[in-house]
Amino acid sequence: MGGRPSSSLDKRQQQHLRGQVDTLLRNFLPCYREQLAASVLQQISRELGPREPAGCQLMRSKKLPRVREHRGPLTQLGGHPPRWQPIFCVLRGDGRLEWFSHREEYENGGHPLGSTTLTGYTVLTSQREYLHLLDTLCPVSSGEHTQEESDPLLEMPVNFPLFLQHPFRRHLCFSAATGEAQRAWRLALQGGIRLRGTVLQRSQAPAARAFLDAVRLYRQHQGHFGDDDVTLGSDAEVLTGVLMRKLLPALRAQTLPGLRGARRNRAWAWTELLDAVHAAVLAEASAGLRAFQPEKDELLAVLEKTIRPDVDQILRQRERLAGRLRVEVQRPLESCLHGKVDTQLSLVTQKLLSTMEAVLSAVQTLLAQGMDRLSRHLRGSSSGTQLRKEVYSFGEMPWDPELMQTCYREAERSQRRLRQLVVPFGFFGTRSLMFGAQDLAQQLMADAVATFLQLADQCLTTALDCTQAAQQLEKVRGRVLKKFQSDSGSVQRNFTRGWLLSIFLPFVLHQLEGSCTVELLEFEGDVLAVGSPALTVKGIYKDIVQGVLLQMIDGELKKALGANDMSCTLDGCSEAPWDQTGIDEKAEAQRGTRPGQPGSGTEVQPLCPLPPPRTFCS
């Protein structure tokens, strides 16, 4: 393709980008340090506070997070000039994509021709849609005339394309041999993209929570109050995305006018330049965060030692300051909430609740079908070998992208309508929201599968004939579905509550920015006098706004779900554990073992070819 600039950057450009990353880190790291202190205080206060209600009913799967490895032959558009050439592609379990010259190269442990982390990509399977995307990247200005060169994408139409598009990286163009292979790759790639994107959102570590809060605080200082999808990815990838958004306008102005050739050729050249800039920024951001790691570890240790002994005093001082500040900001806060938030709160709440309800309903249906399939195999006196295969397939359901697609699709269906509701509030993170719903679907499925297999292994022994075993499995099925329904109710509430806060809190803070500035400045000295790094004026102020907003959100959820369903908090659910008598007692009597010793009873010659004990153990 003509008009392509070199993908490498010269020393001057590299030095400029290095300076940009240094400036970013110099301004960001103070925010990060503040949020680390606040996060440690929050964690300690939670540990020492009242015990949370009883946890969720399903046992927690230990196999997350991962995606199922996927591999196979594809063709790839690459080279100079670009041409389609056969490759062998591998999607690793951690969501990294690699491609080799041929299968043997992969099987022999050779180095890949290329590889990429899938963070931030979007999969397109329509060639027309992708060509339209290229056209929008380098639009023709009025009066501009370009000589249209031959375009390899048009010379060889692709029947089963897989285009991986990224806002700041080189596009990856693949093609599958059949529609079935294309679908399998699309689902696998989408799983890898989600896995890589939600690594920070899934973490409950104080440092991860602090990092995300610091990014939001830093961006608010830059004038970006609404949440968006910039926080998808690892810490270095997030900071890279933040800086790339800042650099993009200048890059466009400096580069696009100088590109020559056909519009789509220029678009490809533009993505290669972006890829080089992105790689340079990512390398510098990664190096900067690695350099900060020792200081961060030491800071966390110091904060733990200094905050824990004085946590009660710090919390009392925080509450005293919050009480005084609450009086000052009460009027403008209530005016904003009742004048601008409550008009749409009900609609957004209903949409989030219905979205999660549809997702969880799909998970429950899929789970029930899987359990029923195992029961049928037991009743049919299938061989032990076949039953083991079925148990393995059942255990792999959470990582089967084809099966789970029915659940994931429910999260995708509501995106357009939800975006229309939340964009007026400056929220552009609907992809993050969708990924969150899909993550929860996979987590709940994994937990339910692990619970079923564990209970089944406790109940099924070689002393049972096929009919008795199937009856026991039916009882386990009922127990697991009850546990699932309990957990899914709390998941639906927590998901809706958390995302309502993400949607409306930045908007409210932005609306109040001007009216509450004087009050915050007046409290600066009082907060500094406390002498704790975990307390800041803006942190206390944000907590006040968040608390009042949550009262409004909880009221809306109470109306939507009923008072009896509002006993669950963001950190746990209050349902008591299900009574484990009945199935457990019968199973223990049959095994002659104590609870907690599954599969250790005396074996009896089976009346049907059941597998050995612990076949069901996950």
Side-chain angles (χ1 to χ4, degrees):
M1 290 184 176
R4 181 190 308 276
S6 171
S7 59
S8 60
L9 303 173
D10 60 36
K11 291 183 178 180
R12 181 186 60 81
Q13 292 169 323
Q14 293 175 359
Q15 185 63 35
H16 173 71
L17 293 176
R18 191 175 297 115
Q20 291 288 327
V21 175
D22 288 344
T23 300
L24 169 67
L25 290 172
R26 189 163 54 249
N27 294 325
F28 170 76
L29 289 180
C31 296
Y32 195 9
R33 293 184 186 97
E34 282 185 3
Q35 295 308 308
L36 283 170
S39 186
V40 170
L41 174 62
Q42 184 180 32
Q43 181 190 37
I44 294 174
S45 62
R46 185 182 295 121
E47 291 174 1
L48 300 180
R51 293 182 60 85
E52 293 294 340
C56 294
Q57 304 292 310
L58 297 169
M59 71 173 57
R60 192 74 166 175
S61 171
K62 299 178 181 179
K63 294 184 177 180
L64 287 173
R66 65 184 174 95
V67 294
R68 176 180 288 181
E69 184 171 292
H70 191 77
R71 55 183 180 269
L74 293 173
T75 55
Q76 181 183 24
L77 183 67
H80 297 280
R83 60 187 179 88
W84 290 99
Q85 43 198 339
I87 58 166
F88 187 78
C89 245
V90 180
L91 174 63
R92 302 291 188 180
D94 63 355
R96 184 174 184 82
L97 185 67
E98 299 177 345
W99 51 96
F100 301 80
S101 57
H102 45 77
R103 180 191 291 269
E104 291 73 19
E105 190 74 21
Y106 159 70
E107 293 176 343
N108 293 333
H111 293 290
L113 293 174
S115 65
T116 187
T117 56
L118 290 174
T119 309
Y121 279 100
T122 301
V123 183
L124 302 177
T125 55
S126 165
Q127 187 173 11
R128 176 178 298 180
E129 185 179 356
Y130 178 66
L131 292 175
H132 175 71
L133 172 67
L134 290 181
D135 291 341
T136 61
L137 289 178
C138 290
V140 178
S141 59
S142 60
E144 179 183 359
H145 298 284
T146 60
Q147 180 183 356
E148 289 297 322
E149 303 171 3
S150 61
D151 189 78
L153 290 174
L154 295 179
E155 287 178 357
M156 184 180 293
V158 183
N159 291 325
F160 306 107
L162 291 157
F163 298 109
L164 283 172
Q165 179 267 334
H166 192 286
F168 309 124
R169 302 187 67 182
R170 178 188 287 110
H171 298 174
L172 299 173
C173 302
F174 302 105
S175 176
T178 65
E180 182 180 357
Q182 180 197 48
R183 175 178 171 81
W185 271 108
R186 176 176 63 83
L187 297 180
L189 290 168
Q190 287 174 337
I193 291 168
R194 176 170 53 86
L195 177 74
R196 302 293 304 200
T198 56
V199 59
L200 288 173
Q201 281 77 4
R202 290 193 307 269
S203 176
Q204 296 302 312
R209 299 290 91 196
F211 180 84
L212 290 174
D213 289 338
V215 170
R216 295 187 183 101
L217 183 60
Y218 171 80
R219 299 194 75 214
Q220 287 175 14
H221 291 163
Q222 308 296 313
H224 302 285
F225 276 81
D227 273 9
D228 56 25
D229 294 323
V230 74
T231 54
L232 291 175
S234 67
D235 51 3
E237 288 170 330
V238 168
L239 290 186
T240 299
V242 169
L243 185 54
M244 290 297 295
R245 282 166 169 79
K246 178 183 177 182
L247 297 176
L248 194 58
L251 282 173
R252 281 186 173 277
Q254 296 167 7
T255 305
L256 291 185
L259 296 178
R260 297 291 180 265
R263 180 164 48 176
R264 289 164 185 161
N265 295 353
R266 288 183 290 144
W268 265 52
W270 168 243
T271 64
E272 290 203 345
L273 174 64
L274 282 179
D275 190 75
V277 174
H278 182 276
V281 172
L282 180 60
E284 292 296 327
S286 299
L289 289 173
R290 282 196 303 271
F292 178 65
Q293 184 68 39
E295 178 187 341
K296 184 181 77 173
D297 293 340
E298 181 180 356
L299 179 59
L300 286 170
V302 170
L303 288 169
E304 171 73 21
K305 291 179 181 179
T306 56
I307 291 177
R308 188 173 292 274
D310 299 328
V311 64
D312 291 336
Q313 181 181 358
I314 294 172
L315 291 176
R316 283 195 301 269
Q317 291 171 324
R318 177 193 171 280
E319 185 55 37
R320 176 178 58 81
L321 292 168
R324 291 170 51 200
L325 184 56
R326 190 180 293 113
V327 174
E328 300 296 329
V329 303
Q330 184 93 13
R331 181 175 296 178
L333 174 56
E334 290 184 352
S335 175
C336 175
L337 291 176
H338 296 297
K340 299 183 179 180
V341 172
D342 61 359
T343 57
Q344 291 295 314
L345 180 59
S346 178
L347 287 176
V348 179
T349 300
Q350 290 294 338
K351 190 61 184 176
L352 289 174
L353 286 172
S354 63
T355 296
M356 206 60 208
E357 182 179 14
V359 171
L360 296 173
S361 177
V363 174
Q364 180 173 331
T365 298
L366 188 61
L367 173 65
Q369 291 172 347
M371 293 187 293
D372 291 342
R373 192 162 51 248
L374 284 179
S375 294
R376 286 196 299 271
H377 277 280
L378 272 178
R379 291 185 183 278
S381 299
S382 60
S383 68
T385 301
Q386 181 61 33
L387 184 57
R388 288 190 194 95
K389 291 181 179 179
E390 292 299 325
V391 170
Y392 175 79
S393 296
F394 178 78
E396 286 294 301
M397 280 175 56
W399 299 278
D400 188 324
E402 183 66 44
L403 285 176
M404 292 298 294
Q405 178 61 15
T406 58
C407 311
Y408 298 155
R409 192 183 300 119
E410 293 296 341
E412 298 168 358
R413 283 175 176 166
S414 64
Q415 264 193 296
R416 179 176 298 179
R417 172 60 177 155
L418 184 60
R419 187 180 296 115
Q420 293 172 345
L421 290 174
V422 298
V423 161
F425 296 94
F427 182 83
F428 296 93
T430 50
R431 195 180 198 211
S432 299
L433 191 155
M434 178 192 71
F435 282 172
Q438 293 173 338
D439 277 346
L440 286 174
Q442 187 179 48
Q443 180 70 66
L444 267 179
M445 177 63 82
D447 294 347
V449 165
T451 304
F452 178 86
L453 293 177
Q454 181 69 24
L455 292 178
D457 192 69
Q458 293 173 2
C459 294
L460 298 183
T461 72
T462 53
L464 304 175
D465 62 26
C466 289
T467 301
Q468 292 171 327
Q471 290 172 347
Q472 289 293 331
L473 217 57
E474 280 297 310
K475 294 179 181 179
V476 172
R477 176 190 187 276
R479 285 190 65 199
V480 171
L481 287 179
K482 286 181 180 180
K483 292 174 182 290
F484 177 87
Q485 289 164 2
S486 173
D487 286 7
S488 62
S490 63
V491 163
Q492 184 186 24
R493 291 189 294 270
N494 293 342
F495 174 86
T496 302
R497 192 174 190 255
W499 281 104
L500 285 173
L501 194 62
S502 295
I503 291 166
F504 290 109
L505 179 58
F507 171 78
V508 175
L509 291 174
H510 190 201
Q511 293 294 309
L512 297 177
E513 185 182 20
S515 58
C516 296
T517 301
V518 175
E519 288 81 357
L520 295 182
L521 289 175
E522 291 176 352
F523 275 80
E524 191 76 45
D526 293 338
V527 175
L528 289 175
V530 175
S532 173
L535 298 184
T536 63
V537 173
K538 287 191 174 181
I540 295 173
Y541 169 66
K542 189 210 77 172
D543 290 343
I544 292 171
V545 176
Q546 177 174 301
V548 177
L549 178 58
L550 278 176
Q551 288 179 354
M552 178 178 285
I553 290 173
D554 288 342
E556 190 61 44
L557 286 171
K558 185 176 181 178
K559 287 192 297 183
L561 296 172
N564 293 333
D565 291 327
M566 283 302 298
S567 56
C568 186
T569 69
L570 282 170
D571 297 310
C573 44
S574 62
E575 290 87 345
W578 289 95
D579 184 6
Q580 296 193 3
T581 58
I583 290 179
D584 286 349
E585 290 178 355
K586 187 173 182 179
E588 299 302 335
Q590 290 166 339
R591 288 200 307 270
T593 63
R594 299 189 307 274
Q597 295 178 312
S600 59
T602 303
E603 291 192 11
V604 180
Q605 182 65 31
L607 299 179
C608 65
L610 283 172
R614 301 196 67 77
T615 291
F616 285 86
C617 190
S618 177

